[in-house]
């Protein structure tokens, strides 16, 4: 299902609030309750939200991420700002590893003007973006293709990644818990991401504000393993203190970079 701008805003509102009444959604979107009800019905039919009497919520799951196409559209403006902020800090002529995620794909697009990059990734979409970039070399890890988002995962992927040592790992994440634990949904993807983090001199994490306090089943690591965290606004409590304690440089992407 291709989402229209109103449906994207509806899902974003649910993502921010967890659950909303139809009346609150109508007020936020400045449409009638009947319009919201129709949107909710369509989105429920494709399992992008859960209806309840008088309202709707996103599926509350620690075991399965939101659909790839939906993730690509949610928080798109913030992801673009984060991507531009990271690209601004990446020098030419350096080596990178880039993992799976819609935000890391936005970073790849923002790097299109760089030269002399050597990029290792398990993200086929990153290859589509940077594989034809003059002066850059892209290495795609081998392994099993995950159909829903073209991620390359599995033990062969981990072994491939472990052959290299790069300047910077650019990481996306599904959730950060309020104790600083980094979490994701797919055990195979987590094993690859752990290998990427271990293979870089510095680890930079891209994290839109919806990822704070978001649950996911598999532990990837913790904030102490991150050198820099790029996000779109000041993180909610208790994350500023956690980031400071873990000696993580938190970078807020400027509004004017969208």
């Amino acid at each position: 299902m291709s989402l229209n701008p109103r449906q994207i805003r509806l899902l974003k509102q649910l993502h921010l609030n967890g659950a909303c009444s139809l009346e609150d959604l109508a007020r936020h979107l400045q449409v009638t309750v009947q319009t919201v009800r129709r949107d909710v019905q369509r989105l429920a039919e494709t399992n992008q939200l859960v209806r309840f009497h008088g309202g709707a919520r996103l599926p509350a799951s620690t075991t399965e991420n939101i659909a790839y196409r939906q993730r690509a559209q949610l928080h798109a403006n913030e992801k673009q700002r984060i991507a531009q902020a990271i690209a601004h800090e990446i020098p030419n002529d350096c080596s990178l590893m880039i993992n799976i995620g819609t935000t890391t794909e936005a970073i790849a697009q923002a790097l299109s003007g760089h030269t002399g990059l050597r990029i290792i990734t398990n993200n086929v979409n990153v290859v589509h973006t940077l594989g034809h970039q003059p002066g850059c070399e892209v290495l795609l890890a081998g392994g099993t293709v995950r159909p829903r988002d073209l991620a390359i995962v599995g033990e062969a992927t981990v072994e491939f990644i472990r052959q290299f040592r790069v300047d910077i790992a650019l990481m996306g994440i599904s959730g950060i818990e309020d104790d600083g634990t980094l979490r994701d949904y797919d055990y195979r993807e987590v094993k690859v991401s752990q290998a990427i983090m271990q293979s870089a001199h510095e680890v930079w994490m891209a994290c839109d504000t919806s990822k704070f306090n978001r649950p996911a089943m598999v532990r990837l690591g913790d904030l102490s393993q991150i050198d820099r965290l790029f996000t779109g606004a000041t993180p909610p409590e208790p994350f500023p203190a956690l980031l400071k304690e873990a000696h993580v440089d938190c970078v807020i992407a400027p509004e004017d970079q969208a």
Side-chain angles (χ1 to χ4, degrees), residues 145-208:
V145 179
R146 191 170 63 186
R148 68 174 181 268
D149 57 3
L150 300 182
I152 308 296
V153 294
E155 287 301 319
T157 316
V158 172
E159 291 304 312
F160 180 86
I161 294 295
R162 285 176 175 165
Q163 298 178 79
F164 301 93
R165 184 74 169 168
V166 300
D167 297 318
I168 303 167
L170 301 177
M171 308 291 297
I173 189 69
S174 289
I176 307 178
E177 293 188 339
D178 62 7
D179 64 353
T181 303
L182 310 175
R183 291 199 171 272
D184 224 309
Y185 293 91
D186 187 328
Y187 176 77
R188 298 173 303 166
E189 179 183 344
V190 164
K191 298 298 287 185
V192 176
S193 292
Q194 288 171 338
I196 289 174
M197 292 167 66
Q198 292 162 6
S199 299
H201 291 287
E202 291 193 15
V203 178
W204 296 8
M205 181 158 286
C207 175
D208 71 68

Side-chain angles (χ1 to χ4, degrees), residues 10-32:
L10 188 156
L11 289 169
K12 183 175 181 179
Q13 188 68 5
L14 293 181
H15 207 88
L16 290 171
N17 294 283
C20 292
S21 69
L22 297 182
E23 289 79 7
D24 285 344
L25 288 169
R27 211 163 23 245
H28 176 76
L29 299 172
Q30 297 183 320
V31 296
T32 66

